[in-house]
Amino acid sequence: MASSSDATASNGSTPETPESGSAAGQDRRGRVRLRRAAVMAIPATAVAAGLMIATAQGALGVQFAISGMPFTVTATELNGTGFEQFGGLDNMAEDSPNAGDTGGQVLIITSAIKNATLDHLCQSVDLGGTNLLITAGSGADKVQANNLTTDSTELSGNASFNNIEIGNDASTLDKAGVQGPKGVFSQQADTVRIANLRQTNYATTAGVFKLPGLKLRFSDQGC
């Protein structure tokens, strides 16, 4: 997403304002730079916390203002029971610097899984010059999640489903305990398997998220 930028102008015939060429103006510009740095740092902290702390929102879908910064999630394999998928909109906080020309909204596809396991989970966020990288489930123990929801703009992999239903009204879904808006196209299945999963996400929630072998670090490369 594009970020807003400052533009200031003055000329010699106009009396100097507190925001131009004064100590107050310099202080204001310093605060703007500080806020921009915070915009980059806070989402990284939120992503790490979201993976390590169980949330109570997994069964309800996303109920928070997204940062507007996408993050990548990969896994060599995902297996789930109770699968649902439907379209929706995520909203950024008012006046988010990441809104660009979107009006602060992102068109997403929500995937909900009642119970899921993932092998070799990787998550990364591009912070501009470096990536916050999180890995887990690389050993004998797999990542486990229940009431998992992801809001994605892209999803790829080799998928297979058991007892799939395509074309449901999203408000009638019953496989994962999450319902979407009435009149929205959706699908659901008893089970799902996706090999070589890759997602571009804007939000993730889970009732429980167990991450064996968790590693969090900064890296030159993402997932």
Side-chain angles (χ1 to χ4, degrees):
M1 294 288 181
S3 298
S4 60
S5 59
D6 294 72
T8 59
S10 62
N11 58 59
S13 61
T14 302
E16 202 169 61
T17 68
E19 297 181 354
S20 175
S22 67
Q26 293 172 358
D27 181 60
R28 176 183 176 276
R29 287 192 292 272
R31 291 197 302 271
V32 168
R33 287 193 293 270
L34 182 61
R35 285 197 297 271
R36 285 177 177 169
V39 164
M40 302 303 289
I42 291 173
T45 305
V47 168
L51 279 175
M52 292 185 287
I53 300 175
T55 74
Q57 293 178 315
L60 303 175
V62 172
Q63 300 291 322
F64 53 79
I66 62 170
S67 70
M69 295 179 67
F71 54 97
T72 299
V73 174
T74 65
T76 55
E77 184 174 276
L78 176 149
N79 286 280
T81 58
F83 172 79
E84 301 172 355
Q85 203 168 60
F86 54 90
L89 285 171
D90 278 352
N91 295 280
M92 301 177 205
E94 188 175 356
D95 299 323
S96 170
N98 298 321
D101 58 0
T102 67
Q105 290 187 320
V106 178
L107 180 65
I108 50 87
I109 183 76
T110 293
S111 301
I113 304 176
K114 189 67 176 177
N115 296 287
T117 60
L118 300 99
D119 289 335
H120 291 81
L121 176 69
C122 178
Q123 178 173 297
S124 62
V125 186
D126 186 349
L127 301 178
T130 190
N131 294 273
L132 176 66
L133 186 67
I134 298 170
T135 57
S138 299
D141 295 328
K142 301 177 182 178
V143 171
Q144 298 181 44
N146 64 38
N147 296 325
L148 175 69
T149 67
T150 58
D151 285 5
S152 312
T153 53
E154 293 184 32
L155 187 154
S156 64
N158 300 313
S160 60
F161 305 90
N162 285 333
N163 297 324
I164 191 169
E165 303 169 2
I166 301 173
N168 310 59
D169 188 293
S171 67
T172 67
L173 297 175
D174 59 8
K175 299 291 187 182
V178 178
Q179 286 77 46
K182 185 175 289 188
V184 171
F185 181 93
S186 69
Q187 60 183 6
Q188 64 177 1
D190 286 345
T191 66
V192 59
R193 176 184 179 273
I194 305 177
N196 300 318
L197 171 69
R198 187 175 188 87
Q199 293 177 300
T200 300
N201 292 345
Y202 278 85
T204 297
T205 67
V208 173
F209 215 158
K210 296 181 179 179
L211 296 156
L214 172 69
K215 293 182 180 179
L216 185 153
R217 58 198 181 276
F218 291 103
S219 173
D220 293 337
Q221 295 184 336
C223 297

